[in-house]
Amino acid sequence: MTKTVFVTGGNRGIGFEIVRGFAKAGYKVMMGCRDEDEGNEVKEDIVGGDVHVIEMSLSNEQGIIDALTRATAVYGGIDILVNNAGVLCRDGVEDVSMGDVSSALQVHVQAPLTLIQQVLPGMKERGFGRIINMSSGWGAFAEGMEGPVAYAISKAALNALTLNVANELEEESNITVNSVCPGWVHTRMGGTDAPKSPEEGADTVVWLGTLEDETPNGKFVRERKEIDW
Ligand SMILES: NC(=O)c1ccc[n+]([C@@H]2O[C@H](COP(=O)([O-])OP(=O)(O)OC[C@H]3O[C@@H](n4cnc5c(N)ncnc54)[C@H](OP(=O)(O)O)[C@@H]3O)[C@@H](O)[C@H]2O)c1
């Protein structure tokens, strides 16, 4: 049966290429985005895919739950969840506002957890699930936690969420949770000096989501290889 994918922040950057990659591979894709009109406009660039725009802001829990409930009622349960959306505040320790810290934690940690809570029962029922959290080398202890504070600590917390959920699901057959670092990618967030294209940034996520056997679980993955937390 055709598998269904939900991608947050699917309207641009790496998220858009993740949507395109799964659509090309024959999956049904729900493209989560804040602005439905923008989603419908960019969707036109995906030729022949089974893609549906789902209006969803990640700013509050009930809004996420309501949007997901409406979407799954129409398009069915989610087999692959990609928590891709991200916000980058570049302020340092002395300047960062608690509003920016909250918003990084909401988008990178709380919204992914809310979505995981919503999709897990269906995944358990169907005996299949892939959860992919888009992290960053800036959230890696092994790489020195060098990013700006709100971004770095929230991506580190997202990695902690990945490992924690993977541990809890250890007994569950065929549901995996992994973090991905896309590398430095040319997007609105990554800027124009970045060496990787959005399609290259999306590659590991689509690869992980479409793997049938021997899927990693509870790992941090970059360029299809495990890296240290
Ligand atoms: N680019 C890089 O070099 C790089 C490196 C490491 C990790 N990453 C990670 O990769 C992911 C994608 O990054 P990108 O470079 O593609 O970024 P991007 O082009 O800036 O896109 C960010 C996406 O997140 C969405 N978003 C932000 N806040 C949201 C909210 N409150 N509710 C719903 N959607 C929200 C944006 O929606 P709107 O269009 O509505 O704003 C947009 O679709 C992020 O998690 C990022 O941290 C990127």
Side-chain angles (χ1 to χ4, degrees), residues 64-83:
I64 296 169
I65 295 170
D66 292 346
L68 199 73
T69 305
R70 281 196 299 273
T72 50
V74 179
Y75 302 112
I78 289 157
D79 303 298
I80 301 163
L81 168 67
V82 183
N83 285 309

Side-chain angles (χ1 to χ4, degrees), residues 8-15 32-35 38 56-59 83-87 107-108 134-137 151 155 181-191 194:
T8 65
N11 55 301
R12 62 183 165 95
I14 301 169
C33 57
R34 278 194 279 205
D35 181 338
E38 185 185 336
M56 180 188 283
S57 162
L58 299 173
S59 323
N83 285 309
N84 163 77
V87 279
V107 175
H108 298 158
M134 187 60 101
S135 184
S136 167
Y151 187 84
K155 290 294 188 180
C181 169
W184 186 19
V185 182
H186 183 150
T187 61
R188 209 176 294 173
M189 182 185 290

Side-chain angles (χ1 to χ4, degrees), residues 45-188:
D45 291 340
I46 301 176
V47 183
D50 189 4
V51 178
H52 307 275
V53 174
I54 310 297
E55 193 167 40
M56 180 188 283
S57 162
L58 299 173
S59 323
N60 82 80
E61 185 187 5
Q62 197 54 51
I64 296 169
I65 295 170
D66 292 346
L68 199 73
T69 305
R70 281 196 299 273
T72 50
V74 179
Y75 302 112
I78 289 157
D79 303 298
I80 301 163
L81 168 67
V82 183
N83 285 309
N84 163 77
V87 279
L88 173 58
C89 165
R90 293 184 179 274
D91 292 341
V93 174
E94 290 181 74
D95 300 316
V96 74
S97 72
M98 286 307 138
D100 284 330
V101 174
S102 294
S103 130
L105 289 169
Q106 174 61 32
V107 175
H108 298 158
V109 187
Q110 288 178 235
L113 178 53
T114 299
L115 284 162
I116 289 169
Q117 288 177 327
Q118 295 304 303
V119 300
L120 265 183
M123 288 178 172
K124 286 181 176 177
E125 225 170 81
R126 292 186 294 278
F128 179 92
R130 301 282 179 265
I131 297 168
I132 302 164
N133 294 325
M134 187 60 101
S135 184
S136 167
W138 274 353
F141 284 91
E143 294 177 20
M145 288 291 297
E146 286 182 345
V149 61
Y151 187 84
I153 63 174
S154 59
K155 290 294 188 180
L158 177 64
N159 283 349
L161 178 67
T162 296
L163 197 50
N164 183 272
V165 178
N167 288 340
E168 193 175 310
L169 289 175
E170 221 166 29
E171 301 301 310
E172 296 293 335
S173 63
N174 219 6
I175 302 177
T176 63
V177 193
N178 292 286
S179 278
V180 166
C181 169
W184 186 19
V185 182
H186 183 150
T187 61
R188 209 176 294 173

